[in-house]
Amino acid sequence: MVQKNILTFPTIPEPALSRSWETAWEKVPAEWQEPVYRLDRAPNNRVFVRNSNYLYSNKTYDYRTGHTLADQELAWYIYTIWSEGTLKVDPAMLRWYVTSTQALIDRQPAEMRDTYSLANIEPYMLIKEAARAFYERNERYPSPNNLKNVESIAKNLYQHLTVRCSDTPWYEHDVWNMRLDSRIPRRENEPHAERVISLEQLTQTWLKEAARFWFSQALTYGYYTWTSVASRVTYLNYFSRFLATYEHTPATLGESLGSIRKLTTAFTDYLKNPVEGCHENALSETTIGSVTSTLQRFYEFAYENKDLITETTHTEAWLNLTADHTRLFPTYRRKKKGKAHPVTFFTSDELTLMLAHLDVLKTPMTQQVTVQTPGAEPATFTGLGDEQAARAWMIQALTGRRASEILMMDYQPLTMLDVDPEKIQEDSFIARMTYQQTKVDGVEPTILVDVAVVNIIKEQQAYVEEKYPGLEHPYLFPNPRANFTGSRPRSYRSYADTLKRLDATVKLTNKAGEPLRFSQTHRLRHTRATELLNNGVPVHVVQRYLGHRSPEMTMRYAETLAATAEAEFLRYKKVGSDGRDLGLSAKDLLEISQLDHRADRILPNGYCMLPPTQTCDKGNACLPCGAFATDASYIQEHRDQLTRLEALIEARKNQYKARRGEDMPETNVWLTGRLREKASLEAIITKLENEAAQNKAVSGAGTSGRVALTLLTNPAKNGTSPIVQPNLRTQR
DNA sequence: GCCTGGCCCTGTACCGTTCT
DNA sequence: AGAACGGTACAGGGCCAGGC
């Protein structure tokens, strides 16, 4: 768990790796050392955009400027983006870029040209020259978009060179880009790694440098995440733009609390009203709250660390900060008492409708797909060609995980359970799935999944394998663009955009005529939670399943249930697999299950009592196991199991006889196992029945003692949902 | 001592603009 | 012209203080 609100820090250690131009250049293989390419042939063809003017002439293209260092830098750049597979280049634009740089270098003194670095050419200089040259050639200026294309090459090349070929620490640059700079501290799975943080808009030097220090510390010591820093920078930008309307404001903002408050009040007004060129509309209450609280945290940090910040930013004014700066804004701000937001979920019918339309996402863009839903005319759509997004959505629907938890999953997220193949049904748990979670610390990120989920994952693995043959692909869901080597996970942004496109295509609505949006993926989480609770799964189990740290959050979903998690649990006496009472109090049992943070200890028909560290060698055969505990709330489950078991034994016996012409012997291994289970079940049921008879609270355990609830997606009960869900209370 | 509401951090949703 | 991005808005989840 990251410790928050620590306001003093040691200085940032210098990066150990040398990042000189020489070390960068050493990595370029001989065949890539000259910027001369056959555009139509591998391996070069992966790095160049298809351009018919270039591709259809079978010749070698020479991008040399004739100046040694510039040519090497260009070759290094092309090789780098090729090997990392993050960018492509249009050969025509590259030509334009090269002739422009050539002109710029040629204006340097002759003896400097061979050592002139492209890192000296800032993008704006290149653009000016490119536009000038274009005008000379064509007697008109280039179109804005055309110029933008050269600019993007200039910008990318400039950033690659300045960031990757110098020892300058990562935080010294004004643009922080995780894709470009591996030294930026990052968590293993960063939900918004694609977001670029730019300090360029902070025009006051004192502000920019102090912000640089604050954010670099925050990232280095992990007390803010990348997402948080990104939004905080945009919030500080407001302050910077506001200050720009004043002549000059010192870092202290004023001499006394009075003058400081005057300024911050003016700032609040600035945010509340539209400002042309900055924010066209007045900002919302919450945004203003975020902006002011960011500024407040910033000054608290600066006050606590004024010595360090003065030293780092070379701005003496920071030394004059006083305690007044830790209360820039009056603290009497009270929010309106808001009721908790209602839990929104999809009903079974809605989900069915949506799943039927998921095909539109799966179908290639060149094909049409017709969707037939009950009670509606068949509708035909053009496919959107994003099958992996469809699979990610399915997994979200089946497991209730967050979008980022699924998108950042490892290529191989499954650990198969040792399940007897004979016993597998379509809703059996057969594997443990590890998802990536960053939001809540201290939660074990694994859940049990059933055949349906496993099959989707296998399909997706095959898809990735086919898309990136022979390449390493660490993620199950690779980003579809700018990812030619398959090394980056799919960004939440591109996933959400795809789902939005699907929404716009199929335009689904619910019965009330409100739009049903695929892009609201969090609803799937609510849906799953509500489903589990409505199916009678105890709150603490659902809590663990969803990865909530405390039951409060889960309880919000549980409003339909009368009992709390504890009451639910304590109501029943636990019975061992031999049908005898366990020598443990219900309270102890609760603690055991609470201490153990793994949902898979809750079995479909009871609880596994093994201490968390102990492994089970009994495979799936819980019933005859001494560590198995159950209670009266599962009695119906046991009765159902018994019926199914008896039917199964009967069927097998008949099969055996049909095939071999003789009865199955009592010594048959399979049969003895089942008979043991049957004996256990019968003992348990008898015991629980007595239990229920004595205990008024559980009369008719599992039936009348419980609030009558509808099963949302159990196909056996209502036959509408195509979802095969891992029902926690069925035979596994 | 317990409960509740508010605050803070972090992630998701949405929309208009920019890029390709 | 469709995909990607940037900025804004807001929801989810943890935690703590203040009221009882």
Side-chain angles (χ1 to χ4, degrees):
Chain A
M1 176 75 194
V2 173
Q3 214 172 350
K4 316 264 172 169
N5 301 323
I6 301 175
L7 292 175
T8 47
F9 312 91
T11 43
I12 295 169
E14 286 300 314
L17 271 174
S18 165
R19 295 168 68 90
S20 63
W21 162 248
E22 284 72 30
T23 48
W25 178 244
E26 268 171 28
K27 291 186 194 129
V28 183
E31 62 272 29
W32 285 92
Q33 288 186 354
E34 291 270 307
V36 177
Y37 309 99
R38 273 298 293 264
L39 305 183
D40 52 338
R41 292 210 185 140
N44 314 338
N45 56 359
R46 192 174 80 196
V47 80
F48 290 103
V49 171
R50 291 188 71 84
N51 181 322
S52 53
N53 291 335
Y54 283 71
L55 275 182
Y56 295 115
S57 48
N58 291 336
K59 64 172 200 180
T60 305
Y61 287 87
D62 188 344
Y63 289 102
R64 283 179 297 191
T65 59
H67 307 297
T68 319
L69 184 57
D71 287 351
Q72 289 184 349
E73 286 174 338
L74 191 64
W76 169 82
Y77 174 69
I78 299 291
Y79 168 70
T80 303
I81 61 175
W82 172 83
S83 63
E84 291 172 8
T86 47
L87 284 169
K88 283 195 175 189
V89 175
D90 184 325
M93 292 301 125
L94 190 62
R95 166 65 57 214
W96 194 4
Y97 174 86
V98 169
T99 48
S100 306
T101 39
Q102 208 162 12
L104 284 170
I105 300 175
D106 282 342
R107 272 180 236 147
Q108 302 296 321
E111 69 276 11
M112 283 176 63
R113 289 177 200 161
D114 273 352
T115 52
Y116 193 84
S117 166
L118 296 180
N120 293 325
I121 304 177
E122 288 187 43
Y124 81 90
M125 295 159 65
L126 194 278
I127 298 307
K128 241 165 95 178
E129 173 56 30
R132 198 195 59 78
F134 189 97
Y135 187 81
E136 260 176 30
R137 268 201 314 276
N138 306 308
E139 298 206 334
R140 65 176 174 88
Y141 284 111
S143 77
N145 277 355
N146 204 10
L147 205 54
K148 279 266 160 68
N149 289 337
V150 212
E151 190 184 4
S152 78
I153 293 186
K155 247 165 66 181
N156 275 314
L157 212 160
Y158 179 78
Q159 288 195 353
H160 272 79
L161 276 177
T162 50
V163 171
R164 316 232 344 214
C165 304
S166 80
D167 266 335
T168 318
W170 62 269
Y171 49 86
E172 292 292 327
H173 299 285
D174 281 359
V175 177
W176 299 348
N177 183 342
M178 280 191 167
R179 241 198 264 177
L180 271 184
D181 201 338
S182 57
R183 297 168 302 173
I184 299 175
R186 61 176 290 172
R187 296 173 291 174
E188 200 186 340
N189 294 291
E190 196 60 68
H192 287 282
E194 82 282 0
R195 292 226 171 193
V196 174
I197 293 177
S198 165
L199 303 177
E200 281 168 330
Q201 287 191 51
L202 299 170
T203 46
Q204 297 76 10
T205 311
W206 60 267
L207 182 61
K208 186 203 258 185
E209 294 312 312
R212 186 195 307 285
F213 182 62
W214 184 35
F215 292 136
S216 58
Q217 295 279 335
L219 289 171
T220 304
Y221 296 102
Y223 68 96
Y224 283 155
T225 65
W226 187 251
T227 315
S228 294
V229 171
S231 65
R232 264 150 228 276
V233 173
T234 65
Y235 294 144
L236 280 192
N237 285 341
Y238 285 106
F239 191 53
S240 177
R241 286 194 291 261
F242 164 74
L243 289 180
T245 62
Y246 286 77
E247 189 90 345
H248 170 73
T249 314
T252 51
L253 306 177
E255 303 290 311
S256 63
L257 180 59
S259 55
I260 295 169
R261 277 284 165 83
K262 216 168 133 189
L263 189 83
T264 51
T265 312
F267 180 46
T268 317
D269 285 342
Y270 171 88
L271 299 173
K272 278 182 185 160
N273 297 300
V275 177
E276 199 162 327
C278 297
H279 43 283
E280 305 301 323
N281 302 308
L283 297 178
S284 77
E285 192 85 351
T286 42
T287 307
I288 295 174
S290 302
V291 175
T292 52
S293 106
T294 299
L295 195 58
Q296 186 64 78
R297 299 297 144 257
F298 175 55
Y299 267 89
E300 280 168 14
F301 174 84
Y303 175 69
E304 296 283 330
N305 299 276
K306 49 184 173 182
D307 294 342
L308 260 179
I309 218 167
T310 308
E311 197 188 312
T312 325
T313 65
H314 308 293
T315 308
E316 291 289 316
W318 291 112
L319 279 181
N320 300 327
L321 291 190
T322 64
D324 289 341
H325 291 96
T326 62
R327 44 196 172 110
L328 298 179
F329 299 93
T331 50
Y332 50 74
R333 187 163 53 87
R334 280 279 172 274
K335 267 196 189 159
K336 55 197 176 300
K337 231 177 18 178
K339 251 204 76 177
H341 300 279
V343 172
T344 49
F345 55 88
F346 299 121
T347 66
S348 179
D349 287 348
E350 289 168 357
L351 211 47
T352 308
L353 187 65
M354 295 175 89
L355 285 166
H357 285 81
L358 214 49
D359 273 352
V360 179
L361 195 53
K362 264 190 164 167
T363 309
M365 286 193 270
T366 49
Q367 291 175 25
Q368 302 270 309
V369 60
T370 302
V371 181
Q372 170 76 67
T373 46
E377 291 291 306
T380 303
F381 304 96
T382 306
L384 292 171
D386 196 343
E387 46 176 303
Q388 67 159 312
R391 283 193 282 269
W393 201 88
M394 274 294 286
I395 295 177
Q396 278 204 269
L398 289 167
T399 62
R401 307 325 309 173
R402 297 185 188 92
S404 61
E405 292 172 350
I406 298 299
L407 296 178
M408 294 189 300
M409 276 202 302
D410 291 342
Y411 177 74
Q412 183 48 270
L414 297 175
T415 315
M416 300 310 284
L417 301 177
D418 185 16
V419 185
D420 179 357
E422 299 274 0
K423 279 190 172 179
I424 294 179
Q425 301 173 8
E426 60 176 5
D427 57 354
S428 304
F429 288 138
I430 58 165
R432 181 172 300 132
M433 184 182 89
T434 305
Y435 58 92
Q436 303 300 350
Q437 77 105 22
T438 55
K439 193 165 171 153
V440 183
D441 293 327
V443 172
E444 176 81 10
T446 68
I447 51 165
L448 293 178
V449 291
D450 63 2
V451 183
V453 174
V454 170
N455 285 345
I456 297 170
I457 289 175
K458 285 188 174 157
E459 220 177 287
Q460 176 62 17
Q461 284 170 337
Y463 169 85
V464 175
E465 196 63 56
E466 199 194 324
K467 192 166 176 191
Y468 298 103
L471 288 169
E472 283 225 2
H473 32 65
Y475 295 100
L476 185 58
F477 291 98
N479 207 48
R481 302 269 300 234
N483 194 22
F484 309 109
T485 55
S487 55
R488 297 190 303 124
R490 176 138 197 180
S491 76
Y492 170 75
R493 285 290 275 281
S494 95
Y495 175 60
D497 277 353
T498 288
L499 295 178
K500 232 167 55 185
R501 240 166 280 137
L502 178 60
D503 290 334
T505 307
V506 299
K507 293 192 187 70
L508 296 183
T509 54
N510 65 8
K511 282 191 184 112
E514 292 152 354
L516 276 181
R517 299 209 186 96
F518 284 90
S519 55
Q520 294 176 316
T521 54
H522 223 71
R523 279 197 177 199
L524 294 171
R525 188 169 166 79
H526 299 176
T527 307
R528 185 85 188 108
T530 316
E531 242 170 56
L532 290 173
L533 289 164
N534 279 356
N535 284 352
V537 178
V539 171
H540 65 283
V541 180
V542 179
Q543 176 196 334
R544 247 170 274 161
Y545 186 85
L546 292 181
H548 291 154
R549 196 193 260 180
S550 66
E552 274 73 29
M553 211 47 233
T554 319
M555 285 303 289
R556 282 195 43 210
Y557 300 118
E559 276 162 10
T560 46
L561 284 175
T564 64
E566 190 164 353
E568 183 83 1
F569 191 97
L570 296 180
R571 225 162 68 191
Y572 305 107
K573 230 172 164 183
K574 299 292 173 283
V575 178
S577 59
D578 54 359
R580 275 194 314 234
D581 276 355
L582 289 170
L584 277 166
S585 75
K587 190 85 191 163
D588 288 340
L589 269 168
L590 176 68
E591 292 219 331
I592 288 171
S593 75
Q594 296 286 343
L595 281 172
D596 170 11
H597 284 260
R598 284 165 44 189
D600 55 325
R601 312 210 45 99
I602 310 299
L603 304 171
N605 46 3
Y607 309 85
C608 174
M609 306 277 299
L610 287 177
T613 45
Q614 219 170 310
T615 52
C616 176
D617 60 354
K618 299 222 165 38
N620 199 35
C622 284
L623 275 178
C625 172
F628 174 79
T630 186
D631 67 35
S633 65
Y634 292 109
I635 192 162
Q636 196 52 46
E637 212 55 60
H638 293 302
R639 287 183 184 131
D640 292 349
Q641 271 190 35
L642 185 58
T643 319
R644 280 203 297 267
L645 188 61
E646 283 165 353
L648 183 67
I649 293 173
E650 204 47 42
R652 270 305 154 75
K653 276 183 170 169
N654 292 339
Q655 245 175 30
Y656 190 96
K657 193 167 182 187
R659 216 175 287 155
R660 315 212 177 173
E662 55 187 56
D663 283 332
M664 189 189 259
E666 290 291 309
T667 52
N668 179 292
V669 182
W670 181 85
L671 187 59
T672 42
R674 303 297 81 75
L675 289 177
R676 261 170 72 206
E677 280 172 24
K678 186 163 174 260
S680 286
L681 270 174
E682 281 162 356
I684 287 168
I685 290 170
T686 316
K687 177 70 189 170
L688 291 178
E689 274 167 352
N690 292 339
E691 199 73 45
Q694 289 159 22
N695 189 343
K696 276 182 187 160
V698 286
S699 60
T703 53
S704 61
R706 226 172 246 289
V707 184
L709 296 164
T710 1
L711 285 174
L712 284 181
T713 58
N714 190 334
K717 302 271 166 137
N718 60 14
T720 54
S721 172
I723 290 191
V724 180
Q725 57 146 342
N727 188 337
L728 285 173
R729 288 228 178 170
T730 48
Q731 171 80 47
R732 66 174 190 173

